[in-house]
Amino acid sequence: MGLIGLVIVGFFIGLVARALMPGNNRMGFLLTSALGILGSVVAGFLGQQLGWYRIGEPAGFIASVFGALLIMAVVGGMRR
């Protein structure tokens, strides 16, 4: 159930990030889930570097959404 839960939570994080980011962000289920999961990883890494999280401590939902928004901004900038 751990992997399935990870994909479902990642999907919801990706959906929220896509809703907050302006523009046309057409992605399927898998890309939206990957965006949310990677957003959580980025938020966890940045939080550990800034001292907000201890090693092994997961990032929160809002931090994960901000991580996904950061990924979308970087990818959007690279596409231009």
Side-chain angles (χ1 to χ4, degrees):
M1 193 63 180
L3 183 61
I4 294 171
L6 177 75
V7 171
I8 291 171
V9 171
F11 178 70
F12 285 117
I13 291 169
L15 277 179
V16 171
R18 284 180 46 202
L20 292 175
M21 182 67 98
N24 187 7
N25 300 316
R26 296 187 320 178
M27 297 182 204
F29 175 78
L30 291 177
L31 285 177
T32 302
S33 298
L35 173 68
I37 293 167
L38 289 175
S40 181
V41 169
V42 167
F45 176 75
L46 290 177
Q48 287 174 6
Q49 298 304 312
L50 294 173
W52 297 341
Y53 301 117
R54 287 181 275 145
I55 294 189
E57 187 177 359
F61 187 83
I62 295 173
S64 298
V65 170
F66 282 123
L69 287 170
L70 180 65
I71 291 172
M72 289 177 70
V74 168
V75 170
M78 291 174 60
R79 284 188 181 173
R80 291 182 184 173

